[in-house]
Amino acid sequence: MYATDAEKLDVARHEALAGLEEGGIPIGAALFDADDRLLGSGRNQRVQGGNPALHGETSAFLNAGRQRSYRRTTMVTTLSPCWYCSGLVRQFNIGRVVIGENTTFYGGEDWLRENGVRVDVVQDPELVRIMTDFIAGNPELWNEDIGTLEL
Amino acid sequence: MYATDAEKLDVARHEALAGLEEGGIPIGAALFDADDRLLGSGRNQRVQGGNPALHGETSAFLNAGRQRSYRRTTMVTTLSPCWYCSGLVRQFNIGRVVIGENTTFYGGEDWLRENGVRVDVVQDPELVRIMTDFIAGNPELWNEDIGTLEL
């Protein structure tokens, strides 16, 4: 049971920190049901798994397995969801998103709000620091992950 | 080499038909580079892999492996891309999308055009028939795949 947003965010944070230790991009996420039960969590797998399709959110979504409805679920992510992950939330009608921080990257959260998703931003200082350090140290990898490398 | 859109679409069609034979949702996709080379193809894996994160397009994207840039790539998909897959295209700046048909499902293709993606629709009669038959025979599974089951 993860009753509070802080407890939920700690699951995503744990995933992000595990990714950092593995040499990966430190973004994690977790999906909870309406009763605050953890359905699944995951982290970015670009480096570790050589898998460009698994961002934090899509990894958590995958690890939650097939669900018949997502309307009453909450996606908790350490970082503002990119368009890919925002599209996931919108298509599957995930009801709520909790964002650890949106200062190092700002994704599709306004679009989600416009489409009826409840979005809350924690602005967690530790998560800001982790991503700030990671982007500064790995700019090419980061730009590859968000599709902004210009070649 | 897959010089024409028809040749490219046949790769996605082959994936969709293979999915149908496996008892899965018959949607396939393929990603090509600027020189018409196949980078990767894939098909919906909700049933076969128990994997809700792999739609046709995300499966093709995964199987193409890590790419440094997608700007000059073309995503060919048998069906209009849902918001999840449209978000993938937008985030990674995939330059062009070829859609087999958009009569049985209409996703985020207008949004993609508004954001600079070239989108072409083939309206292939065989693909329309395959999805029409599939949706009629498996409405719950189909609604699960596009997140529209109301529970």
Side-chain angles (χ1 to χ4, degrees):
Chain A
M1 294 285 293
Y2 301 88
T4 68
D5 285 0
E7 287 170 308
K8 291 183 178 72
L9 185 58
D10 277 346
V11 178
R13 185 198 314 269
H14 176 83
E15 290 281 357
L17 290 170
L20 191 64
E21 284 183 15
E22 294 165 350
I25 298 172
I27 305 172
L31 188 69
F32 297 87
D33 73 8
D35 298 316
D36 300 320
R37 284 181 296 230
L38 178 64
L39 296 172
S41 66
R43 53 186 178 267
N44 189 296
Q45 292 289 330
R46 177 171 296 272
V47 174
Q48 303 97 304
N51 187 329
L54 288 179
H55 275 191
E57 296 90 329
T58 53
S59 184
F61 182 83
L62 166 62
N63 291 334
R66 283 174 62 179
Q67 303 285 331
R68 285 168 54 84
S69 173
Y70 294 89
R71 191 172 298 278
R72 299 180 71 220
T73 64
T74 296
M75 177 69 81
V76 183
T77 174
T78 58
L79 185 65
S80 181
C82 79
W83 286 115
Y84 172 41
C85 297
S86 296
L88 176 86
V89 169
R90 179 169 176 185
Q91 186 63 47
F92 290 99
N93 291 306
I94 292 172
R96 183 176 178 229
V97 177
V98 175
I99 297 172
E101 62 103 352
N102 66 4
T103 66
T104 64
F105 177 79
Y106 199 96
E109 56 193 89
D110 294 330
W111 181 71
L112 289 178
R113 285 193 187 92
E114 288 163 16
N115 286 285
V117 181
R118 177 179 163 196
V119 180
D120 295 297
V121 181
V122 176
Q123 226 63 292
D124 182 280
E126 182 193 19
L127 293 176
V128 174
R129 181 181 56 72
I130 290 170
M131 276 308 290
T132 300
D133 291 351
F134 180 81
I135 293 170
N138 306 272
E140 282 226 350
L141 181 58
W142 173 238
N143 285 312
E144 178 187 312
D145 197 57
I146 56 173
T148 53
L149 265 184
E150 287 293 341
L151 299 178
Chain B
M1 295 285 295
Y2 300 89
T4 68
D5 285 0
E7 287 170 309
K8 291 183 178 72
L9 184 59
D10 276 345
V11 178
R13 183 197 315 269
H14 177 83
E15 291 282 355
L17 290 169
L20 191 64
E21 283 182 17
E22 294 164 351
I25 299 172
I27 305 172
L31 189 68
F32 297 88
D33 73 8
D35 298 316
D36 299 321
R37 284 181 296 230
L38 177 63
L39 296 173
S41 66
R43 52 187 179 266
N44 188 297
Q45 292 289 331
R46 177 171 298 272
V47 174
Q48 304 96 304
N51 186 330
L54 288 179
H55 275 191
E57 298 90 328
T58 53
S59 184
F61 181 82
L62 166 61
N63 291 335
R66 283 173 63 180
Q67 303 285 332
R68 286 167 53 83
S69 172
Y70 294 89
R71 191 170 299 278
R72 301 181 69 220
T73 65
T74 296
M75 178 68 83
V76 182
T77 173
T78 57
L79 184 65
S80 182
C82 77
W83 286 116
Y84 172 41
C85 297
S86 296
L88 177 86
V89 169
R90 178 168 177 186
Q91 186 63 46
F92 289 99
N93 292 303
I94 292 172
R96 184 175 177 230
V97 176
V98 175
I99 297 173
E101 63 103 351
N102 66 5
T103 66
T104 64
F105 177 78
Y106 200 95
E109 57 192 87
D110 295 329
W111 181 70
L112 289 179
R113 285 193 188 92
E114 289 163 13
N115 286 284
V117 181
R118 177 178 162 195
V119 180
D120 295 297
V121 181
V122 175
Q123 225 65 291
D124 182 280
E126 182 192 20
L127 294 176
V128 173
R129 181 181 55 72
I130 290 169
M131 275 309 291
T132 301
D133 291 351
F134 181 81
I135 293 169
N138 305 271
E140 283 227 350
L141 182 56
W142 173 238
N143 285 313
E144 178 187 310
D145 197 57
I146 56 172
T148 52
L149 266 184
E150 287 292 342
L151 299 177

